[in-house]
Amino acid sequence: MGDVTALRCPKCGSQPAAPTIFKCNSCGCILEVQVDIDHLAPSDLQTISNSRDQSIWRWFDFFPIENRNAIISLGEGGTPLIHAVRLGAQLGLSRLYLKNDTVLPTGSLKDRSNSVGISKAKELGFTTATVMSTGNAAASVAAYSAAAGMRSIVMVPAGTAPSKIIQARACGATVVVIDGDFDYDVAKLYQAAIQEFGWYDCLSSNPYRSEGKKSYAYEMVDQLDGEVPDWVIHPTAGGTGICAMWKGFQEFRALGWINRQPRLVASQSEAAAPIAAAFDKGLTDIEPVVARATVAESIRVGNPSSLGWRALAALREADGTAVTLGDEAILTAQSLTGRLAGIFVEPAAGTSVAAVKKLRDTGTIGADDLVVCNLTGHGLKQPEAIGLTDQELRPIAPTLEALREQIHKSTDHDVTR
Ligand SMILES: Cc1ncc(COP(=O)(O)O)c(C=O)c1O
Ligand SMILES: [Zn+2]
């Protein structure tokens, strides 16, 4: 049974009066969940590894859910960790692995956190869940709320890709498109709405929800037969993935299940890179930026106020780094991942591959290092990024001659295009 010891402030140590309070009332910091795992023994890792359950819930003891009956699962987790031989060769890496989270139930990493978050909502007795989102979280909260029998109300900024709105709508969410900047106008309304209506908050300001992404760490160690990657690269917006993975690896280390930890890398679009900027300046907290337009829409976050500071701390403790990428590099990485590894990622997810390329080119990552790139969202989330031309869609006559001409014209062999 998952054993929630407490919610606790990671800055001042205060504990809240109730499990539904997510913010420290002394210093305003987002609280952190303390799950008691001390009872786990080395043999438990083997037992879990042998479990028929491939979802994140095979790691139940690490999550803040008291009762298995409260679990809301769509089979999230257990995603393939693929040795990408051809892509690795192109980038100069013999051991490049891709953690393919595009195959999660709603096509993005958000399902890891929302399965835990919505299970907790059920346990706490909430009936309505809400999130503000650049798109992926909206679809995920909608899906898990549907499975839980809860209402979902999701807020997205004007300009969000229609495919993401459609996904949330299809799962019964009330989708509200808001005219205004995501980090300021949408965020302000979101906080006011939670105060006013008492809805369950599914943002990174919810300490339970963040715990779900610890499963990245557990799954990697399990899938690599106990080996720990040298590097793990994560497309980063709010910082949840970096914080949670770090916590997951630390838990395994505390249990003696691993004896070293990976170096973590946050990959960001240079149009929205507050974590990378603060890391480079040696700051302990982020300075919000006004996020500019970028193809990496899903990670376009300029003010990661909840967990930005903890992501910075995790990157430093992990002897990691943060990398920023321009749109051209991101689209090249998206293209390479499709053409050389067979995985269609959305541009935001391609930042992890773009970051590896950059770090390998500068010699920071060695040719034989064991590298894992998290591929965090499916390409169909934002299909327009592929830039299909009218010419490609134009039908040809049903003749061999026309077919020959079309094949001749195709430049698809050029993988670096
Ligand atoms: C595709 C994709 N990748 C990565 C992230 C990164 O989020 P975080 O830094 O909170 O782990 C997000 C969410 O914003 C996303 O939608
Ligand atoms: Zn505090």
Side-chain angles (χ1 to χ4, degrees):
M1 182 167 97
D3 186 3
V4 185
T5 313
L7 284 177
R8 196 176 152 274
C9 176
K11 273 193 180 155
C12 75
S14 294
Q15 295 195 322
T20 48
I21 297 171
F22 296 167
K23 231 182 200 179
C24 174
N25 63 9
S26 305
C27 74
C29 182
I30 302 303
L31 301 173
E32 190 187 346
V33 177
Q34 313 282 305
V35 182
D36 181 7
I37 50 169
D38 289 349
H39 60 285
L40 293 171
S43 59
D44 288 315
L45 178 58
Q46 203 48 53
T47 310
I48 295 170
S49 232
N50 294 338
S51 158
R52 285 175 72 90
D53 182 2
Q54 295 297 311
S55 80
I56 62 166
W57 293 101
R58 58 180 10 209
W59 310 102
F60 178 73
D61 291 282
F62 293 86
F63 296 135
I65 306 297
E66 314 282 343
N67 187 339
R68 277 188 185 270
N69 294 331
I71 292 176
I72 305 296
S73 177
L74 296 171
E76 57 293 317
T79 57
L81 183 67
I82 297 155
H83 186 191
V85 178
R86 292 189 69 221
L87 180 58
Q90 170 84 17
L91 302 181
L93 286 161
S94 63
R95 294 200 295 165
L96 174 65
Y97 285 79
L98 303 175
K99 184 68 174 151
N100 186 8
D101 266 12
T102 71
V103 301
L104 284 172
T106 72
S108 92
L109 82 169
K110 301 287 178 183
D111 296 339
R112 292 185 185 272
S113 29
N114 285 313
S115 181
V116 174
I118 296 292
S119 297
K120 194 65 193 177
K122 265 307 238 202
E123 205 166 66
L124 293 171
F126 283 91
T127 54
T128 301
T130 189
V131 76
M132 67 169 212
S133 161
T134 50
N136 284 333
S140 181
V141 167
Y144 284 87
S145 298
M150 291 172 64
R151 181 170 188 198
S152 61
I153 297 168
V154 304
M155 304 182 192
V156 300
T160 300
S163 43
K164 291 179 181 166
I165 296 179
I166 289 166
Q167 228 189 335
R169 178 70 180 71
C171 289
T174 301
V175 183
V176 189
V177 182
I178 295 161
D179 196 9
D181 182 88
F182 182 72
D183 290 297
Y184 298 95
D185 306 309
V186 183
K188 205 165 151 205
L189 176 63
Y190 180 75
Q191 291 306 335
I194 287 173
Q195 289 298 319
E196 178 73 14
F197 304 114
W199 297 332
Y200 183 73
D201 174 8
C202 292
L203 218 55
S204 48
S205 37
N206 175 333
Y208 302 110
R209 176 195 163 281
S210 315
E211 294 287 292
K213 287 188 194 169
K214 295 191 300 187
S215 56
Y216 271 126
Y218 313 148
E219 288 183 14
M220 279 176 211
V221 172
D222 186 39
Q223 290 173 312
L224 291 168
D225 289 328
E227 202 174 345
V228 176
D230 296 307
W231 301 89
V232 179
I233 295 92
H234 187 74
T236 296
T240 320
I242 292 289
C243 297
M245 278 196 295
W246 186 237
K247 189 172 178 185
F249 282 114
Q250 279 181 309
E251 287 171 336
F252 266 29
R253 189 142 187 211
L255 288 168
W257 292 3
I258 54 175
N259 55 18
R260 55 186 283 268
Q261 279 158 231
R263 298 176 75 177
L264 300 184
V265 179
S267 59
Q268 297 207 285
S269 159
E270 62 189 22
I275 292 178
F279 184 84
D280 286 347
K281 286 189 198 166
L283 303 178
T284 52
D285 203 352
I286 51 110
E287 295 172 329
V289 301
V290 176
R292 288 177 280 117
T294 169
V295 284
E297 287 171 5
S298 298
I299 53 170
R300 185 172 178 250
V301 170
N303 185 15
S305 56
S306 299
L307 298 178
W309 70 277
R310 273 181 58 199
L312 281 170
L315 290 176
R316 293 206 175 97
E317 281 171 39
D319 194 19
T321 189
V323 177
T324 61
L325 294 315
D327 279 3
E328 206 182 315
I330 295 170
L331 289 174
T332 301
Q334 179 195 38
S335 175
L336 288 172
T337 308
R339 288 155 188 266
L340 296 176
I343 302 173
F344 179 26
V345 294
E346 65 170 294
T351 59
S352 59
V353 173
V356 167
K357 184 174 179 339
K358 199 166 172 179
L359 293 172
R360 179 69 198 107
D361 287 348
T362 55
T364 308
I365 292 183
D368 297 318
D369 289 355
L370 201 172
V371 181
V372 177
C373 283
N374 288 344
L375 301 182
T376 50
H378 202 290
L380 288 174
K381 293 281 193 171
Q382 196 187 328
E384 56 284 356
I386 290 298
L388 217 57
T389 61
D390 288 346
Q391 162 73 23
E392 286 171 284
L393 289 173
R394 193 170 302 139
I396 61 162
T399 65
L400 273 176
E401 194 190 348
L403 179 61
R404 230 177 246 119
E405 194 184 323
Q406 184 84 356
I407 292 167
H408 187 69
K409 267 194 275 180
S410 168
T411 53
D412 271 4
H413 299 300
D414 179 5
V415 293
T416 54
R417 193 165 67 116

